[in-house]
Amino acid sequence: MNEIFLLKLGEIVLKGANRRQFENRLCSNVKRRMRPFGEFDVTILQSTVYVEPTDDACDVEGAWDACHYIFGVVSLCRCRPCEKTLDAIYDAVMEYLADDLAAAASFKVESRRSDKRFPLNSIEISQQIGGRLAEQFPHVTVDVHHPAYTVYVEVRDHAAYVHGPAQPGAGGLPTGVGGRAAVLLSGGIDSPVAGYMIAKRGVELECIHFFSYPYTSELAKDKVLELARLMTRYCGRMSVNIVGFTEIQEAIRDHCPEEYFTLIMRRFMMRISQQIAKEHGCGCLVTGENLGQVASQTMEAMAVTHAVVDLPVFHPLIGMDKEEIVTIARRIGTMETSILPYEDCCTVFTPKHPRTKPRLGPVEEVERRLDVEGLVARALENTEMVKVRYHG
């Protein structure tokens, strides 16, 4: 039998009557992720997704790497299937794991028998296989409490499987079970992390970026598209709506007091984002805002900013400190791109002394100086949609 992957389900196993819906979606997502790497059989049984290459032409290494980024998988392992006999299990361990065992200082065998028809229970399987291995590798100590290496044996319905320690998966819920969200994607560190975190809850993403040429460069736009591409490694292909924002920022600069620049700018962003979100079937907006991080992210400022929309606004990073956000950005691979020195529109016309505790009434009064509906309509007309996907 060929080497196969076992993808273990996470919190899906806690679901009730709708569990099958989550499992089917995960299975579908895995099949889609495997397509670039050849023909793979993908099935789900006993809280595990089985991924098996059908021929030698499959890119097994590429597929194995891709499996680490599929939401809904809590852990995964490469394993060797074999017949459900002690001799076959022992032979599979020797063929598949002998090099790792020989290099270890100590080992143990940990078994799981989900097929209760098998004549030995889990402890007995471990004792039998462990005894044989101890004779074969006399220089490797048996340590059942703190082994350097663990041999895993799983006796399941269709076969037995042997493997070494599992690797962590992406966790979360399968993409597509949680609806759709529109993420306001800047070129900074925070918003890609916010998008990743909401996607981890099974949410499909639509991204929105505000672009103020010539105050921001084409390189800044390319940077955001690269961030979106990196995010698709986890959440699958998606679109980035690039909104021409120059006219709105110049109108705010020309007609509004400087202390309100950022507040009114963000209110326009929310209005435009809501319209795009609704056009694409999104049920919420997502931002990378973090309480107290900058002047526009106080409770009062966010209340004023969000007053112009009726969709819920989610803030996955709201209680994190910067170090926590940076740690996630490094882990998901967006950090190095986020810190490239190409500024986004949020840095254009930044006030020296912004209002940190604004009241809604005065902000609305200042905003009346602007042709809000006209500016929003022209910005939406000047929106470009770019589809992105991960390619290596």
Side-chain angles (χ1 to χ4, degrees):
M1 292 185 180
N2 294 325
E3 178 184 55
I4 72 170
F5 309 151
L6 299 183
L7 314 183
K8 305 297 181 70
L9 275 59
E11 61 183 284
I12 294 175
V13 301
L14 304 176
K15 300 299 178 182
N18 63 345
R19 174 172 168 173
R20 180 60 61 85
Q21 173 190 346
F22 286 79
E23 291 180 340
N24 289 344
R25 174 64 74 158
L26 176 59
C27 205
S28 175
N29 292 348
V30 174
K31 289 177 181 178
R32 186 176 66 251
R33 293 293 186 93
M34 295 299 101
R35 283 176 194 152
F37 307 105
E39 294 294 327
F40 288 79
D41 284 334
V42 179
T43 56
I44 190 165
L45 183 69
Q46 295 176 320
S47 302
T48 302
V49 178
Y50 296 74
V51 182
E52 182 173 6
T54 60
D55 55 51
D56 293 338
C58 291
D59 178 3
V60 173
E61 297 303 323
W64 171 245
D65 180 68
C67 286
H68 288 74
Y69 303 97
I70 299 174
F71 287 132
V73 176
V74 69
S75 67
L76 60 160
C77 60
R78 300 169 77 146
C79 67
R80 174 65 59 85
C82 63
E83 293 181 6
K84 292 188 285 186
T85 69
L86 283 177
D87 287 344
I89 291 169
Y90 173 74
D91 290 342
V93 172
M94 290 300 299
E95 292 173 8
Y96 194 60
L97 303 175
D99 290 344
D100 292 334
L101 268 168
S106 60
F107 84 99
K108 77 169 182 177
V109 177
E110 187 169 310
S111 303
R112 178 184 177 188
R113 183 194 64 162
S114 55
D115 180 2
K116 303 306 180 185
R117 296 168 298 179
F118 193 77
L120 302 180
N121 63 30
S122 297
I123 294 175
E124 291 168 336
I125 296 170
S126 295
Q127 290 172 337
Q128 291 287 335
I129 299 300
R132 295 191 191 188
L133 294 175
E135 292 179 1
Q136 184 67 35
F137 300 96
H139 64 288
V140 183
T141 304
V142 175
D143 184 347
V144 298
H145 298 295
H146 304 288
Y149 188 80
T150 300
V151 173
Y152 293 89
V153 176
E154 302 188 36
V155 180
R156 293 173 170 264
D157 283 355
H158 298 310
Y161 303 87
V162 301
H163 60 86
Q167 297 182 11
L173 295 172
T175 301
V177 299
R180 290 179 58 80
V183 179
L184 280 68
L185 184 65
S186 72
I189 297 170
D190 298 346
S191 58
V193 175
Y196 159 82
M197 292 185 67
I198 202 70
K200 191 174 182 179
R201 303 311 303 159
V203 177
E204 294 179 326
L205 303 184
E206 187 81 18
C207 291
I208 302 169
H209 176 67
F210 293 89
F211 182 59
S212 292
Y213 184 82
Y215 302 106
T216 55
S217 68
E218 288 291 331
L219 289 173
K221 180 168 72 172
D222 293 341
K223 170 184 171 180
V224 168
L225 292 176
E226 174 63 10
L227 286 171
R229 188 189 71 82
L230 292 170
M231 291 166 63
T232 63
R233 189 176 199 181
Y234 288 92
C235 52
R237 60 191 176 186
M238 60 188 178
S239 300
V240 182
N241 298 268
I242 301 172
V243 181
F245 206 53
T246 306
E247 182 187 5
I248 289 174
Q249 289 196 285
E250 289 179 338
I252 295 170
R253 175 199 62 189
D254 294 341
H255 297 94
C256 301
E258 182 180 343
E259 61 185 333
Y260 290 112
F261 281 3
T262 302
L263 284 166
I264 295 176
M265 176 191 75
R266 294 189 68 81
R267 282 165 62 88
F268 271 97
M269 287 180 172
M270 299 303 286
R271 289 185 179 98
I272 293 167
S273 295
Q274 175 164 271
Q275 291 204 37
I276 293 173
K278 290 182 176 181
E279 288 171 5
H280 291 277
C282 299
C284 71
L285 303 177
V286 177
T287 79
E289 289 170 301
N290 173 259
L291 189 61
Q293 183 171 238
V294 295
S296 63
Q297 294 176 12
T298 63
M299 290 185 187
E300 294 85 353
M302 285 192 285
V304 168
T305 298
H306 301 161
V308 296
V309 297
D310 52 48
L311 283 180
V313 183
F314 294 161
H315 311 290
L317 314 184
I318 197 70
M320 291 188 176
D321 61 36
K322 198 66 176 184
E323 184 176 349
E324 292 172 308
I325 299 169
V326 167
T327 297
I328 297 173
R330 292 191 188 281
R331 176 163 55 80
I332 66 175
T334 58
M335 183 66 185
E336 295 305 313
T337 301
S338 289
I339 61 176
L340 291 174
Y342 311 125
E343 296 181 328
D344 59 38
C345 71
C346 294
T347 63
V348 178
F349 311 134
T350 303
K352 293 181 180 179
H353 302 289
R355 281 289 181 101
T356 58
K357 295 185 177 182
R359 291 182 295 112
L360 182 59
V363 174
E364 291 177 331
E365 184 176 346
V366 169
E367 213 171 49
R368 291 191 189 99
R369 305 176 188 179
L370 304 170
D371 175 17
V372 173
E373 290 186 5
L375 288 167
V376 168
R378 289 190 293 276
L380 288 167
E381 290 172 3
N382 190 27
T383 296
E384 172 192 8
M385 180 187 291
V386 179
K387 294 186 179 295
V388 293
R389 63 187 304 169
Y390 193 77
H391 50 77

